[in-house]
Amino acid sequence: MEEIKKKDIRALTREQLREFFVSNGDKAFRGNQVYEWLWQKAAYSFDVMTNLSKETREMLEANFVINHIKVDQMQRSSDGTIKNAVRLHDDLIVESVLIPTKSRTTACVSSQVGCSLDCRFCATARLKRMRNLNPDEIYDQVVAIDNESRLYFDRPLSNIVFMGMGEPLMNYNNVLKAIDKITSSDGLGMSPKRITVSTSGVPKLIRKMADDEVKFKLAVSLHSAVDEIRTSIMPFNAKFTLSDLRESLQYWYQKTKSRITYEYVVWEGINDTQKDVDALVEFCRFAPSKVNLIEYNPIDDGEFKQASNAAIDRYVNSLERNKITVTVRRSRGKDIDAACGQLANKS
Ligand code: SAH
């Protein structure tokens, strides 16, 4: 019964923890000690906080819980990619992915359970959005992958992309809090330049990010620079139109001077003509940008099909001719449903 009343200790700031100890007749610095255990040392129980007295630990235990994630299942792909099924304190599951390359280890993390957007080519869209993740649930996914990277690849995590389940900008405050923790010396001390937030494009929130002077990188899942087509594959585009998106990105660039990356899948019969290419080139003109042509990862029903190599080449040639950086990215972890757009709690 009592359990229900206990507060999640990781919802407290360092200052609030310090105040908690003072109001309990103890020293403020105890708050710092606990804060370090919770965030730098990722402690999941009060028992391990050995620089606190037994009484203090019991007192914490009586007042708080430490909600934490649990990696329920870990799958390894033949290409080295690792997918974690992560169980949250309320038994909901999200997925995160570790992607190793020669020079980096990238964590692909989730920001929501399910997703409220309705991209027709994405498996996560078929799960309804159940809830936003808390900052610590996002942070914990990163810590779990950092540990796996050290264990299996002998090196720390080097990059983070918010390209797992959910739309990060629809969980703006918690994503920013998690990134603060990941980048602060209290947490993992990672450079924000190594973090990319990927969004389907919510113009109002892109402007807000610019105003908030965030230091991480921005990627936009564009997939088409023609309104009619984009709306047919990403229905929310009817509400957040391309011109609105473009204006917000212009604002972002003016404020941050940070290059924008566009993610783009080319599908047969959808966006594989020269007209589509020209529209993309035009869309990219206002600021330095980079286009990642990503491979389509089929999701069951076969409605969408990856375009031919000739169509991809058409994109590459036109973009290069117009001095827009373009990369063609092959997906990783397909054999374990860990690739972009395949995260749907299947295993
Ligand atoms: N909601 C955010 C982040 C999650 S999606 C966003 O939209 O950016 C991560 C990337 O995977 C996006 O670029 C998305 O468009 C892409 N994606 C979704 N389904 C895919 C699929 N089946 N194959 C390839 N990429 C896909």
Side-chain angles (χ1 to χ4, degrees), residues 186-205:
D186 278 347
L188 299 177
M190 259 177 93
S191 160
K193 291 274 161 261
R194 293 176 173 275
I195 301 175
T196 301
V197 170
S198 175
T199 175
S200 290
V202 189
K204 195 176 82 190
L205 294 167

Side-chain angles (χ1 to χ4, degrees), residues 101-150:
T101 65
K102 235 185 245 150
S103 55
R104 344 170 132 179
T105 309
T106 301
C108 174
V109 297
S110 294
S111 54
Q112 298 181 307
V113 186
C115 190
S116 59
L117 300 182
D118 43 14
C119 303
R120 287 183 38 219
F121 45 82
C122 179
T124 308
R126 302 188 176 177
L127 309 169
K128 65 174 196 306
R129 189 193 72 80
M130 288 181 260
R131 70 167 173 87
N132 285 333
L133 295 191
N134 297 325
D136 48 280
E137 292 169 326
I138 297 170
Y139 181 85
D140 285 356
Q141 292 175 65
V142 173
V143 171
I145 290 186
D146 184 40
N147 289 338
E148 288 168 349
S149 180
R150 288 168 200 269

Side-chain angles (χ1 to χ4, degrees), residues 108 111 115 117 119 121-123 162-168 197-201 219-223 234 236 263-265 267 294-299 329 331 339-342:
C108 174
S111 54
C115 190
L117 300 182
C119 303
F121 45 82
C122 179
F162 280 79
M163 294 189 192
M165 293 173 157
E167 167 51 49
V197 170
S198 175
T199 175
S200 290
V220 175
S221 302
L222 194 61
H223 304 309
M234 304 166 85
F236 63 86
E263 286 151 281
Y264 202 102
V265 177
W267 290 283
I294 55 185
E295 194 183 352
Y296 177 55
N297 304 303
I299 53 162
R329 209 171 64 192
S331 270
C340 286
Q342 290 188 316

